[in-house]
Amino acid sequence: NSKVEGFDMPIQVGMKDNYQLIHPTSEWQTIRFKKISVDNFRVARELFFDILKSFYLEHAQGHIVTSDFTNYVNKRTGKNWDKFFEQYLYFAQTPIFEYKIKKKKKGTVLEYRWNSKVEGFDMPIQVGMKNNYQLIHPTSEWQTIRFKKISIDDFRVARELFLVRLGNYSS
């Protein structure tokens, strides 16, 4: 288990027009959070930057821990991001998007799920054809979706948008 029990690192944000989280696991978490917030949960871009700016302004002179920031994000967005933050802040390994893809008579069938260190991890991800992705909502349970106009060769997982590993179990 690569989770460090009781590990809470302070979070720092920049100033002026460039607000970023600084964390040892890299800036990818900020990018992923922004992408998921803006595209997948329809939290406006302005809200994302407002969260970073207002958190900084409210905590600039104090000492903070990771849970201060995650609780602040949950409150401001009205969504519980705990599983997302737990996966990306406390585990060195990224989650695995496991899938099987098969050609059937009426299209291409995709079976998929998350393999994550965090029980209940359920981050949406985009799949389909490059530049024409569809948002799906994997959980730890296998789910199925049918694509009518996507061939197996054209199928892609939007890895350029998400920091995940892939597990392709197609035969």
Side-chain angles (χ1 to χ4, degrees):
N1 188 342
S2 58
K3 183 172 181 178
V4 180
E5 297 297 329
F7 180 71
D8 268 338
M9 284 216 31
I11 297 175
Q12 299 176 359
V13 295
M15 296 182 70
K16 298 188 181 173
D17 291 26
N18 188 17
Y19 296 93
Q20 292 186 346
L21 296 176
I22 299 171
H23 194 278
T25 58
S26 88
E27 67 182 271
W28 270 103
Q29 286 75 18
T30 303
I31 296 166
R32 290 305 101 226
F33 173 70
K34 179 178 174 187
K35 184 66 182 165
I36 291 167
S37 294
V38 173
D39 292 344
N40 302 346
F41 297 114
R42 300 173 197 241
V43 174
R45 177 182 172 90
E46 294 79 25
L47 177 59
F48 172 75
F49 287 108
D50 184 59
I51 288 171
L52 293 178
K53 182 178 181 179
S54 60
F55 182 80
Y56 171 76
L57 292 173
E58 290 178 27
H59 297 88
Q61 302 300 316
H63 296 281
I64 59 168
V65 293
T66 303
S67 60
D68 294 329
F69 181 75
T70 59
N71 291 336
Y72 189 83
V73 170
N74 290 345
K75 183 178 178 183
R76 290 291 308 274
T77 62
K79 174 161 175 48
N80 187 331
W81 293 91
D82 291 348
K83 301 295 184 182
F84 172 85
F85 283 122
E86 183 179 350
Q87 172 63 57
Y88 282 99
L89 295 178
Y90 296 112
F91 292 96
Q93 292 184 329
T94 56
I96 302 169
F97 178 70
E98 296 181 335
Y99 69 96
K100 304 172 195 174
I101 189 161
K102 299 175 186 170
K103 182 68 178 160
K104 299 284 185 167
K105 287 183 182 180
K106 295 186 178 182
T108 302
V109 174
L110 174 69
E111 296 178 48
Y112 60 91
R113 71 176 178 188
W114 280 119
N115 181 340
S116 169
K117 299 277 186 185
V118 177
E119 186 175 329
F121 181 76
D122 63 350
M123 180 178 78
I125 191 167
Q126 294 179 359
V127 299
M129 289 176 45
K130 190 170 176 102
N131 300 321
N132 190 22
Y133 291 124
Q134 178 176 340
L135 185 67
I136 60 173
H137 299 271
T139 64
S140 61
E141 301 296 320
W142 284 103
Q143 298 174 58
T144 303
I145 188 171
R146 182 180 308 273
F147 298 103
K148 293 181 181 178
K149 298 182 180 181
I150 299 175
S151 70
I152 291 175
D153 292 336
D154 289 336
F155 175 81
R156 300 282 180 272
V157 176
R159 290 191 66 201
E160 68 275 14
L161 303 175
F162 298 88
L163 183 61
V164 298
R165 292 178 291 155
L166 299 180
N168 182 351
Y169 299 102
S170 302
S171 46

